[in-house]
Amino acid sequence: MNKIRKLLSSESGATAIEYGLIAAFVALAIFVGAQMAGNGLNRMFQQTMVVFTSEILLLGLLICGAIQDILRFKLPNWLTLATAVVAVVWVALTTPSFGNILLHAVAGVAMLATGMLAYRFNMLGGGDVKWLAGLALWIGLSVDLVRFLMLTSFIGGLLAIFILLLSRLKPAYGLRDGKRHLPYGVAIAAAGLDFWFRRGQLSQDLMILANS
Protein backbone atom coordinates (compact mmCIF):
# COMPACT_ATOMS: atom_id res chain seq x y z
CA MET A 1 0.00 0.00 0.00
CA ASN A 2 2.86 2.38 0.79
CA LYS A 3 4.31 1.70 -2.67
CA ILE A 4 0.99 2.68 -4.27
CA ARG A 5 0.81 5.86 -2.20
CA LYS A 6 4.37 6.75 -3.20
CA LEU A 7 3.57 6.01 -6.84
CA LEU A 8 0.58 8.35 -6.81
CA SER A 9 2.23 11.12 -4.76
CA SER A 10 2.29 14.50 -6.47
CA GLU A 11 5.37 16.56 -7.36
CA SER A 12 5.70 20.32 -7.69
CA GLY A 13 7.78 22.69 -9.77
CA ALA A 14 6.86 25.03 -12.58
CA THR A 15 9.08 26.31 -15.39
CA ALA A 16 8.63 28.58 -18.40
CA ILE A 17 8.19 25.46 -20.54
CA GLU A 18 5.27 24.35 -18.40
CA TYR A 19 3.56 27.74 -18.73
CA GLY A 20 3.95 27.50 -22.49
CA LEU A 21 2.29 24.10 -22.44
CA ILE A 22 -0.54 25.47 -20.30
CA ALA A 23 -1.17 28.14 -22.93
CA ALA A 24 -1.28 25.44 -25.60
CA PHE A 25 -3.82 23.51 -23.53
CA VAL A 26 -6.02 26.58 -23.42
CA ALA A 27 -5.82 26.76 -27.21
CA LEU A 28 -6.73 23.07 -27.44
CA ALA A 29 -9.77 23.62 -25.20
CA ILE A 30 -10.92 26.45 -27.49
CA PHE A 31 -10.49 24.26 -30.57
CA VAL A 32 -12.46 21.43 -28.94
CA GLY A 33 -15.27 23.81 -28.04
CA ALA A 34 -15.35 25.10 -31.61
CA GLN A 35 -15.34 21.52 -32.88
CA MET A 36 -18.45 20.72 -30.86
CA ALA A 37 -20.24 23.84 -32.10
CA GLY A 38 -19.23 23.70 -35.77
CA ASN A 39 -20.54 21.71 -38.75
CA GLY A 40 -19.70 20.68 -42.32
CA LEU A 41 -16.39 21.73 -43.87
CA ASN A 42 -15.79 24.14 -41.02
CA ARG A 43 -16.06 21.29 -38.56
CA MET A 44 -13.61 19.15 -40.58
CA PHE A 45 -11.09 22.00 -40.54
CA GLN A 46 -11.56 22.46 -36.79
CA GLN A 47 -11.10 18.73 -36.21
CA THR A 48 -7.84 18.78 -38.17
CA MET A 49 -6.65 21.74 -36.10
CA VAL A 50 -7.47 19.92 -32.86
CA VAL A 51 -5.51 16.87 -34.03
CA PHE A 52 -2.52 18.99 -35.05
CA THR A 53 -2.63 20.93 -31.77
CA SER A 54 -2.74 17.66 -29.82
CA GLU A 55 0.31 16.37 -31.67
CA ILE A 56 2.20 19.63 -31.12
CA LEU A 57 1.40 19.32 -27.42
CA LEU A 58 2.67 15.74 -27.37
CA LEU A 59 5.91 16.87 -28.98
CA GLY A 60 6.28 19.55 -26.32
CA LEU A 61 5.50 17.10 -23.53
CA LEU A 62 8.10 14.61 -24.79
CA ILE A 63 10.80 17.29 -24.92
CA CYS A 64 9.76 18.70 -21.55
CA GLY A 65 9.73 15.24 -19.93
CA ALA A 66 13.25 14.49 -21.12
CA ILE A 67 14.53 17.84 -19.85
CA GLN A 68 12.78 17.41 -16.50
CA ASP A 69 14.37 14.01 -15.96
CA ILE A 70 17.85 15.15 -16.99
CA LEU A 71 17.80 18.16 -14.65
CA ARG A 72 15.65 16.91 -11.75
CA PHE A 73 15.43 13.13 -12.10
CA LYS A 74 11.65 13.54 -11.86
CA LEU A 75 8.70 12.99 -14.17
CA PRO A 76 5.99 14.98 -12.38
CA ASN A 77 2.34 13.97 -12.26
CA TRP A 78 1.22 16.94 -14.34
CA LEU A 79 3.29 15.55 -17.23
CA THR A 80 1.53 12.17 -17.09
CA LEU A 81 -1.90 13.77 -16.68
CA ALA A 82 -1.34 16.13 -19.60
CA THR A 83 -0.11 13.27 -21.80
CA ALA A 84 -3.18 11.18 -20.96
CA VAL A 85 -5.71 14.01 -21.40
CA VAL A 86 -4.36 15.02 -24.81
CA ALA A 87 -4.26 11.34 -25.80
CA VAL A 88 -7.99 11.00 -25.11
CA VAL A 89 -8.75 13.93 -27.43
CA TRP A 90 -6.40 12.69 -30.17
CA VAL A 91 -7.61 9.08 -30.05
CA ALA A 92 -11.27 10.15 -30.12
CA LEU A 93 -10.67 12.15 -33.32
CA THR A 94 -8.31 9.81 -35.17
CA THR A 95 -9.58 6.34 -34.25
CA PRO A 96 -12.40 5.04 -36.49
CA SER A 97 -14.30 2.73 -34.14
CA PHE A 98 -15.14 2.23 -30.48
CA GLY A 99 -13.34 -1.13 -30.55
CA ASN A 100 -10.09 0.53 -31.56
CA ILE A 101 -10.56 3.24 -28.94
CA LEU A 102 -10.98 0.49 -26.36
CA LEU A 103 -7.63 -0.99 -27.42
CA HIS A 104 -5.96 2.30 -26.56
CA ALA A 105 -7.58 2.28 -23.11
CA VAL A 106 -6.54 -1.35 -22.55
CA ALA A 107 -2.96 -0.50 -23.53
CA GLY A 108 -2.84 2.28 -20.94
CA VAL A 109 -4.27 0.12 -18.16
CA ALA A 110 -2.06 -2.85 -19.02
CA MET A 111 1.04 -0.66 -19.09
CA LEU A 112 0.15 0.84 -15.71
CA ALA A 113 -0.44 -2.59 -14.16
CA THR A 114 2.81 -4.01 -15.57
CA GLY A 115 4.70 -0.89 -14.59
CA MET A 116 3.44 -1.11 -11.01
CA LEU A 117 5.02 -4.55 -10.76
CA ALA A 118 8.30 -3.13 -12.07
CA TYR A 119 8.01 -0.30 -9.55
CA ARG A 120 7.31 -2.78 -6.76
CA PHE A 121 10.66 -4.45 -7.44
CA ASN A 122 12.48 -1.13 -7.89
CA MET A 123 13.03 -1.70 -11.60
CA LEU A 124 11.37 1.57 -12.64
CA GLY A 125 10.60 4.86 -10.96
CA GLY A 126 7.03 5.91 -10.27
CA GLY A 127 7.22 8.76 -12.78
CA ASP A 128 8.51 6.37 -15.46
CA VAL A 129 5.62 3.96 -14.86
CA LYS A 130 2.93 6.62 -15.07
CA TRP A 131 4.37 8.33 -18.14
CA LEU A 132 4.72 5.02 -19.95
CA ALA A 133 1.04 4.35 -19.23
CA GLY A 134 0.07 7.81 -20.49
CA LEU A 135 2.00 7.29 -23.74
CA ALA A 136 0.50 3.81 -24.15
CA LEU A 137 -2.90 5.53 -24.43
CA TRP A 138 -1.60 7.25 -27.56
CA ILE A 139 -0.12 4.11 -29.10
CA GLY A 140 -2.79 1.50 -28.36
CA LEU A 141 -2.57 -2.26 -28.09
CA SER A 142 -0.67 -2.95 -31.30
CA VAL A 143 2.71 -3.79 -32.75
CA ASP A 144 3.55 -0.10 -32.34
CA LEU A 145 3.44 -0.60 -28.57
CA VAL A 146 5.94 -3.46 -28.85
CA ARG A 147 8.21 -1.24 -30.95
CA PHE A 148 7.84 1.57 -28.41
CA LEU A 149 8.83 -0.69 -25.50
CA MET A 150 11.74 -2.25 -27.37
CA LEU A 151 13.07 1.18 -28.35
CA THR A 152 12.67 2.43 -24.79
CA SER A 153 14.61 -0.56 -23.46
CA PHE A 154 17.37 -0.28 -26.08
CA ILE A 155 17.83 3.47 -25.67
CA GLY A 156 17.65 3.03 -21.90
CA GLY A 157 20.56 0.58 -22.11
CA LEU A 158 22.62 3.04 -24.15
CA LEU A 159 21.71 5.75 -21.67
CA ALA A 160 22.88 3.59 -18.76
CA ILE A 161 26.27 3.11 -20.45
CA PHE A 162 26.53 6.86 -21.08
CA ILE A 163 25.69 7.68 -17.44
CA LEU A 164 28.34 5.22 -16.24
CA LEU A 165 30.93 6.92 -18.45
CA LEU A 166 29.70 10.36 -17.37
CA SER A 167 30.06 9.38 -13.72
CA ARG A 168 33.83 9.22 -14.24
CA LEU A 169 33.84 12.91 -15.17
CA LYS A 170 31.01 14.03 -12.88
CA PRO A 171 30.83 11.59 -9.96
CA ALA A 172 27.98 13.48 -8.28
CA TYR A 173 25.62 13.36 -11.28
CA GLY A 174 22.57 11.25 -10.57
CA LEU A 175 23.47 10.39 -6.99
CA ARG A 176 20.42 10.44 -4.73
CA ASP A 177 20.26 8.71 -1.33
CA GLY A 178 23.49 6.86 -2.05
CA LYS A 179 22.20 5.47 -5.37
CA ARG A 180 22.92 6.58 -8.92
CA HIS A 181 19.71 7.37 -10.76
CA LEU A 182 19.10 7.02 -14.48
CA PRO A 183 17.08 9.71 -16.32
CA TYR A 184 14.96 7.03 -17.99
CA GLY A 185 12.54 9.68 -19.17
CA VAL A 186 15.03 10.44 -21.95
CA ALA A 187 14.64 6.90 -23.32
CA ILE A 188 10.85 7.08 -22.99
CA ALA A 189 10.78 10.44 -24.77
CA ALA A 190 13.01 9.21 -27.60
CA ALA A 191 10.76 6.19 -28.20
CA GLY A 192 7.76 8.52 -28.05
CA LEU A 193 9.33 10.74 -30.71
CA ASP A 194 9.67 7.69 -32.95
CA PHE A 195 5.91 7.13 -32.62
CA TRP A 196 5.22 10.84 -33.20
CA PHE A 197 7.20 10.93 -36.44
CA ARG A 198 5.77 7.65 -37.80
CA ARG A 199 2.10 7.94 -36.76
CA GLY A 200 1.34 11.62 -36.27
CA GLN A 201 -0.81 13.26 -38.94
CA LEU A 202 1.12 16.52 -38.62
CA SER A 203 4.50 14.87 -39.14
CA GLN A 204 3.15 12.91 -42.12
CA ASP A 205 1.80 16.07 -43.74
CA LEU A 206 5.10 17.87 -43.13
CA MET A 207 7.00 14.99 -44.76
CA ILE A 208 4.70 15.15 -47.79
CA LEU A 209 5.28 18.90 -48.08
CA ALA A 210 9.05 18.42 -47.76
CA ASN A 211 9.09 15.79 -50.53
CA SER A 212 6.79 17.67 -52.92
Side-chain angles (χ1 to χ4, degrees):
M1 186 60 69
N2 287 335
K3 283 285 186 179
I4 294 176
R5 290 197 191 100
K6 287 173 64 179
L7 177 66
L8 298 177
S9 62
S10 62
E11 295 175 295
S12 61
T15 66
I17 294 176
E18 292 163 26
Y19 289 125
L21 289 171
I22 289 170
F25 273 110
V26 172
L28 178 62
I30 294 172
F31 278 132
V32 171
Q35 165 71 16
M36 295 174 66
N39 55 61
L41 290 175
N42 188 42
R43 186 168 184 173
M44 289 178 61
F45 171 76
Q46 290 163 352
Q47 178 173 317
T48 301
M49 290 303 297
V50 172
V51 170
F52 284 0
T53 303
S54 300
E55 292 177 1
I56 291 170
L57 277 170
L58 175 61
L59 180 62
L61 289 166
L62 291 170
I63 295 171
C64 189
I67 293 172
Q68 286 269 344
D69 216 13
I70 290 171
L71 298 179
R72 304 180 183 180
F73 294 95
K74 289 182 179 180
L75 295 173
N77 283 339
W78 68 260
L79 180 72
T80 296
L81 181 61
T83 301
V85 168
V86 180
V88 170
V89 175
W90 185 80
V91 169
L93 293 177
T94 60
T95 307
S97 68
F98 176 76
N100 287 333
I101 291 175
L102 188 60
L103 289 178
H104 285 263
V106 170
V109 173
M111 182 63 67
L112 182 61
T114 305
M116 288 179 72
L117 286 175
Y119 177 77
R120 173 67 180 82
F121 293 101
N122 297 315
M123 297 171 64
L124 286 174
D128 300 328
V129 169
K130 290 178 285 185
W131 203 28
L132 282 168
L135 288 169
L137 288 174
W138 281 84
I139 300 168
L141 202 62
S142 65
V143 68
D144 283 330
L145 186 60
V146 177
R147 178 187 174 102
F148 170 74
L149 293 175
M150 290 181 66
L151 272 175
T152 300
S153 299
F154 177 71
I155 297 170
L158 295 178
L159 186 62
I161 295 171
F162 174 76
I163 294 299
L164 286 175
L165 294 174
L166 181 63
S167 66
R168 295 176 178 271
L169 299 175
K170 294 185 176 182
Y173 182 77
L175 283 178
R176 299 288 190 280
D177 303 322
K179 298 179 181 179
R180 191 172 301 280
H181 291 253
L182 180 69
Y184 207 66
V186 175
I188 297 171
L193 284 172
D194 171 74
F195 171 79
W196 189 89
F197 279 110
R198 291 187 308 106
R199 296 301 185 191
Q201 291 188 18
L202 177 59
S203 62
Q204 295 297 313
D205 287 352
L206 289 175
M207 288 177 65
I208 291 172
L209 284 175
N211 294 327
S212 62

Tab-separated table of all heavy atoms in Angstrom, residues 115-146:
chain	number	residue	atom	x	y	z
A	115	GLY	N	3.736	-1.821	-15.147
A	115	GLY	CA	4.703	-0.890	-14.586
A	115	GLY	C	4.688	-0.874	-13.069
A	115	GLY	O	5.732	-0.700	-12.430
A	116	MET	N	3.524	-1.072	-12.470
A	116	MET	CA	3.439	-1.112	-11.008
A	116	MET	C	4.210	-2.299	-10.443
A	116	MET	O	4.811	-2.204	-9.368
A	116	MET	CB	1.979	-1.149	-10.568
A	116	MET	CG	1.256	0.182	-10.765
A	116	MET	SD	-0.484	0.137	-10.263
A	116	MET	CE	-0.298	0.064	-8.468
A	117	LEU	N	4.216	-3.400	-11.183
A	117	LEU	CA	5.024	-4.549	-10.761
A	117	LEU	C	6.507	-4.203	-10.832
A	117	LEU	O	7.279	-4.537	-9.925
A	117	LEU	CB	4.721	-5.763	-11.635
A	117	LEU	CG	3.389	-6.478	-11.390
A	117	LEU	CD1	3.190	-7.592	-12.421
A	117	LEU	CD2	3.346	-7.058	-9.976
A	118	ALA	N	6.892	-3.548	-11.924
A	118	ALA	CA	8.298	-3.133	-12.069
A	118	ALA	C	8.677	-2.151	-10.971
A	118	ALA	O	9.790	-2.200	-10.426
A	118	ALA	CB	8.516	-2.514	-13.450
A	119	TYR	N	7.762	-1.258	-10.628
A	119	TYR	CA	8.012	-0.297	-9.551
A	119	TYR	C	8.124	-1.008	-8.207
A	119	TYR	O	8.963	-0.652	-7.368
A	119	TYR	CB	6.878	0.724	-9.523
A	119	TYR	CG	6.990	1.732	-8.399
A	119	TYR	CD1	7.892	2.788	-8.475
A	119	TYR	CD2	6.179	1.634	-7.270
A	119	TYR	CE1	7.991	3.716	-7.452
A	119	TYR	CE2	6.282	2.559	-6.242
A	119	TYR	CZ	7.175	3.597	-6.338
A	119	TYR	OH	7.277	4.510	-5.317
A	120	ARG	N	7.293	-2.024	-8.026
A	120	ARG	CA	7.306	-2.780	-6.761
A	120	ARG	C	8.675	-3.403	-6.505
A	120	ARG	O	9.137	-3.495	-5.358
A	120	ARG	CB	6.227	-3.874	-6.809
A	120	ARG	CG	6.226	-4.841	-5.639
A	120	ARG	CD	5.849	-4.142	-4.352
A	120	ARG	NE	5.835	-5.055	-3.238
A	120	ARG	CZ	6.894	-5.443	-2.549
A	120	ARG	NH1	8.096	-5.009	-2.897
A	120	ARG	NH2	6.792	-6.268	-1.526
A	121	PHE	N	9.348	-3.823	-7.578
A	121	PHE	CA	10.659	-4.453	-7.439
A	121	PHE	C	11.802	-3.485	-7.766
A	121	PHE	O	12.920	-3.913	-8.071
A	121	PHE	CB	10.735	-5.690	-8.329
A	121	PHE	CG	9.821	-6.801	-7.898
A	121	PHE	CD1	8.619	-7.016	-8.548
A	121	PHE	CD2	10.144	-7.599	-6.817
A	121	PHE	CE1	7.759	-8.039	-8.143
A	121	PHE	CE2	9.298	-8.621	-6.402
A	121	PHE	CZ	8.101	-8.837	-7.053
A	122	ASN	N	11.467	-2.182	-7.706
A	122	ASN	CA	12.478	-1.127	-7.894
A	122	ASN	C	13.192	-1.194	-9.243
A	122	ASN	O	14.368	-0.825	-9.352
A	122	ASN	CB	13.511	-1.177	-6.757
A	122	ASN	CG	12.889	-0.906	-5.400
A	122	ASN	OD1	12.097	0.015	-5.250
A	122	ASN	ND2	13.230	-1.719	-4.422
A	123	MET	N	12.458	-1.649	-10.265
A	123	MET	CA	13.031	-1.702	-11.605
A	123	MET	C	12.781	-0.404	-12.374
A	123	MET	O	13.531	-0.062	-13.284
A	123	MET	CB	12.446	-2.885	-12.371
A	123	MET	CG	12.775	-4.240	-11.764
A	123	MET	SD	11.858	-5.594	-12.535
A	123	MET	CE	12.494	-5.547	-14.194
A	124	LEU	N	11.705	0.291	-12.017
A	124	LEU	CA	11.371	1.565	-12.644
A	124	LEU	C	10.930	2.546	-11.571
A	124	LEU	O	10.416	2.136	-10.522
A	124	LEU	CB	10.229	1.393	-13.669
A	124	LEU	CG	10.542	0.724	-15.001
A	124	LEU	CD1	9.265	0.517	-15.787
A	124	LEU	CD2	11.541	1.544	-15.817
A	125	GLY	N	11.092	3.839	-11.862
A	125	GLY	CA	10.597	4.859	-10.957
A	125	GLY	C	9.104	5.073	-11.157
A	125	GLY	O	8.545	4.720	-12.206
A	126	GLY	N	8.462	5.662	-10.171
A	126	GLY	CA	7.026	5.911	-10.267
A	126	GLY	C	6.670	6.815	-11.431
A	126	GLY	O	5.672	6.589	-12.135
A	127	GLY	N	7.473	7.862	-11.661
A	127	GLY	CA	7.221	8.756	-12.784
A	127	GLY	C	7.353	8.047	-14.121
A	127	GLY	O	6.567	8.285	-15.047
A	128	ASP	N	8.341	7.149	-14.224
A	128	ASP	CA	8.513	6.366	-15.458
A	128	ASP	C	7.279	5.527	-15.746
A	128	ASP	O	6.786	5.490	-16.876
A	128	ASP	CB	9.733	5.437	-15.324
A	128	ASP	CG	11.027	6.182	-15.070
A	128	ASP	OD1	11.153	7.315	-15.569
A	128	ASP	OD2	11.903	5.635	-14.369
A	129	VAL	N	6.778	4.857	-14.717
A	129	VAL	CA	5.622	3.964	-14.862
A	129	VAL	C	4.405	4.737	-15.366
A	129	VAL	O	3.732	4.333	-16.327
A	129	VAL	CB	5.298	3.277	-13.525
A	129	VAL	CG1	3.955	2.562	-13.589
A	129	VAL	CG2	6.412	2.300	-13.150
A	130	LYS	N	4.127	5.867	-14.717
A	130	LYS	CA	2.927	6.621	-15.070
A	130	LYS	C	3.032	7.250	-16.454
A	130	LYS	O	2.048	7.288	-17.204
A	130	LYS	CB	2.669	7.680	-13.994
A	130	LYS	CG	2.212	7.079	-12.666
A	130	LYS	CD	2.001	8.125	-11.588
A	130	LYS	CE	3.323	8.638	-11.043
A	130	LYS	NZ	3.136	9.562	-9.904
A	131	TRP	N	4.229	7.727	-16.809
A	131	TRP	CA	4.375	8.334	-18.136
A	131	TRP	C	4.293	7.283	-19.234
A	131	TRP	O	3.708	7.528	-20.289
A	131	TRP	CB	5.678	9.117	-18.214
A	131	TRP	CG	5.653	10.177	-19.282
A	131	TRP	CD1	4.551	10.843	-19.748
A	131	TRP	CD2	6.763	10.694	-20.011
A	131	TRP	NE1	4.914	11.753	-20.714
A	131	TRP	CE2	6.263	11.685	-20.881
A	131	TRP	CE3	8.129	10.448	-19.989
A	131	TRP	CZ2	7.088	12.406	-21.751
A	131	TRP	CZ3	8.951	11.166	-20.839
A	131	TRP	CH2	8.438	12.134	-21.719
A	132	LEU	N	4.858	6.118	-18.987
A	132	LEU	CA	4.724	5.015	-19.953
A	132	LEU	C	3.252	4.679	-20.185
A	132	LEU	O	2.827	4.445	-21.328
A	132	LEU	CB	5.475	3.780	-19.446
A	132	LEU	CG	6.997	3.780	-19.600
A	132	LEU	CD1	7.618	2.647	-18.786
A	132	LEU	CD2	7.407	3.671	-21.060
A	133	ALA	N	2.466	4.657	-19.110
A	133	ALA	CA	1.036	4.352	-19.234
A	133	ALA	C	0.327	5.450	-20.025
A	133	ALA	O	-0.535	5.161	-20.881
A	133	ALA	CB	0.416	4.200	-17.851
A	134	GLY	N	0.684	6.716	-19.758
A	134	GLY	CA	0.072	7.812	-20.494
A	134	GLY	C	0.380	7.757	-21.979
A	134	GLY	O	-0.495	7.987	-22.822
A	135	LEU	N	1.616	7.402	-22.325
A	135	LEU	CA	1.995	7.290	-23.738
A	135	LEU	C	1.386	6.065	-24.391
A	135	LEU	O	1.096	6.066	-25.593
A	135	LEU	CB	3.522	7.262	-23.862
A	135	LEU	CG	4.205	8.606	-23.586
A	135	LEU	CD1	5.708	8.438	-23.452
A	135	LEU	CD2	3.880	9.617	-24.681
A	136	ALA	N	1.158	5.004	-23.609
A	136	ALA	CA	0.502	3.806	-24.148
A	136	ALA	C	-0.919	4.119	-24.608
A	136	ALA	O	-1.428	3.479	-25.530
A	136	ALA	CB	0.491	2.698	-23.097
A	137	LEU	N	-1.569	5.100	-23.980
A	137	LEU	CA	-2.900	5.526	-24.433
A	137	LEU	C	-2.841	6.059	-25.850
A	137	LEU	O	-3.772	5.877	-26.637
A	137	LEU	CB	-3.451	6.605	-23.495
A	137	LEU	CG	-3.900	6.166	-22.104
A	137	LEU	CD1	-4.276	7.388	-21.265
A	137	LEU	CD2	-5.084	5.212	-22.191
A	138	TRP	N	-1.775	6.750	-26.192
A	138	TRP	CA	-1.596	7.246	-27.562
A	138	TRP	C	-1.396	6.099	-28.545
A	138	TRP	O	-1.962	6.105	-29.636
A	138	TRP	CB	-0.358	8.147	-27.619
A	138	TRP	CG	-0.541	9.526	-27.103
A	138	TRP	CD1	-0.461	9.939	-25.807
A	138	TRP	CD2	-0.823	10.699	-27.873
A	138	TRP	NE1	-0.671	11.285	-25.708
A	138	TRP	CE2	-0.895	11.781	-26.968
A	138	TRP	CE3	-1.016	10.936	-29.231
A	138	TRP	CZ2	-1.159	13.088	-27.390
A	138	TRP	CZ3	-1.267	12.237	-29.660
A	138	TRP	CH2	-1.346	13.293	-28.744
A	139	ILE	N	-0.594	5.130	-28.159
A	139	ILE	CA	-0.123	4.113	-29.097
A	139	ILE	C	-1.148	3.013	-29.315
A	139	ILE	O	-1.352	2.536	-30.437
A	139	ILE	CB	1.210	3.523	-28.592
A	139	ILE	CG1	2.246	4.657	-28.477
A	139	ILE	CG2	1.709	2.432	-29.529
A	139	ILE	CD1	3.502	4.255	-27.726
A	140	GLY	N	-1.804	2.577	-28.243
A	140	GLY	CA	-2.787	1.505	-28.360
A	140	GLY	C	-2.160	0.129	-28.283
A	140	GLY	O	-0.935	-0.028	-28.291
A	141	LEU	N	-3.020	-0.872	-28.203
A	141	LEU	CA	-2.569	-2.260	-28.090
A	141	LEU	C	-2.285	-2.793	-29.486
A	141	LEU	O	-3.151	-3.344	-30.158
A	141	LEU	CB	-3.653	-3.098	-27.389
A	141	LEU	CG	-3.204	-4.398	-26.717
A	141	LEU	CD1	-2.206	-4.132	-25.606
A	141	LEU	CD2	-4.417	-5.136	-26.163
A	142	SER	N	-1.045	-2.592	-29.927
A	142	SER	CA	-0.671	-2.950	-31.298
A	142	SER	C	0.816	-3.226	-31.354
A	142	SER	O	1.528	-3.128	-30.358
A	142	SER	CB	-1.025	-1.800	-32.251
A	142	SER	OG	-0.238	-0.661	-31.949
A	143	VAL	N	1.284	-3.544	-32.559
A	143	VAL	CA	2.712	-3.789	-32.751
A	143	VAL	C	3.514	-2.517	-32.483
A	143	VAL	O	4.695	-2.571	-32.129
A	143	VAL	CB	2.981	-4.329	-34.181
A	143	VAL	CG1	2.711	-3.261	-35.226
A	143	VAL	CG2	4.396	-4.860	-34.305
A	144	ASP	N	2.868	-1.364	-32.641
A	144	ASP	CA	3.549	-0.100	-32.338
A	144	ASP	C	3.935	-0.027	-30.866
A	144	ASP	O	4.960	0.570	-30.525
A	144	ASP	CB	2.646	1.088	-32.681
A	144	ASP	CG	2.603	1.368	-34.174
A	144	ASP	OD1	3.610	1.092	-34.852
A	144	ASP	OD2	1.573	1.845	-34.671
A	145	LEU	N	3.122	-0.614	-29.994
A	145	LEU	CA	3.442	-0.602	-28.569
A	145	LEU	C	4.669	-1.469	-28.293
A	145	LEU	O	5.515	-1.112	-27.468
A	145	LEU	CB	2.244	-1.102	-27.752
A	145	LEU	CG	2.387	-1.018	-26.226
A	145	LEU	CD1	2.614	0.416	-25.777
A	145	LEU	CD2	1.152	-1.602	-25.543
A	146	VAL	N	4.767	-2.596	-28.987
A	146	VAL	CA	5.941	-3.465	-28.848
A	146	VAL	C	7.187	-2.720	-29.312
A	146	VAL	O	8.232	-2.748	-28.648
A	146	VAL	CB	5.767	-4.764	-29.661
A	146	VAL	CG1	7.026	-5.624	-29.581
A	146	VAL	CG2	4.550	-5.550	-29.164
